[in-house]
Amino acid sequence: IYTLLIKRASENKTVQEHADEAKQAILKNLLDKKVEDLSNVKLILVAESYGGLAAAQLALTNSLSDLGISIAGLITVRTPWE
């Protein structure tokens, strides 16, 4: 199980920009933990508020799949879907 805290979202950035930052933070976290085989990594993203929109964007674009990382689930809390 890998945990990652993504800091509060900035209102000056788009959802996609936050998703891109989250992707980079996930990769850095996995590399820092010396995970050598990324193809076996399955993530469950847990996000709050605006971070839920960024996490959903990351999951929908499946931008980690090119590295073999799969997103197994998404849990959001207090995310402004509307």
Side-chain angles (χ1 to χ4, degrees):
I1 297 174
Y2 303 102
T3 59
L4 172 67
L5 172 64
I6 298 174
K7 295 181 181 181
R8 188 166 190 247
S10 166
E11 295 177 7
N12 298 327
K13 295 182 182 176
T14 67
V15 171
Q16 184 60 55
E17 288 171 325
H18 284 292
D20 292 341
E21 287 179 2
K23 176 182 177 179
Q24 293 305 314
I26 289 167
L27 293 176
K28 181 182 181 320
N29 186 271
L30 293 173
L31 293 174
D32 287 349
K33 293 182 183 294
K34 303 201 182 339
V35 177
E36 293 180 14
D37 186 7
L38 296 178
S39 65
N40 291 323
V41 174
K42 292 184 173 131
L43 300 176
I44 297 175
L45 302 176
V46 180
E48 178 192 17
S49 189
Y50 193 75
L53 298 176
Q57 181 70 18
L58 183 60
L60 288 172
T61 59
N62 205 17
S63 64
L64 292 167
S65 66
D66 56 338
L67 301 169
I69 300 172
S70 63
I71 297 175
L74 171 64
I75 299 169
T76 65
V77 179
R78 297 185 308 193
T79 298
W81 296 110
E82 295 179 10

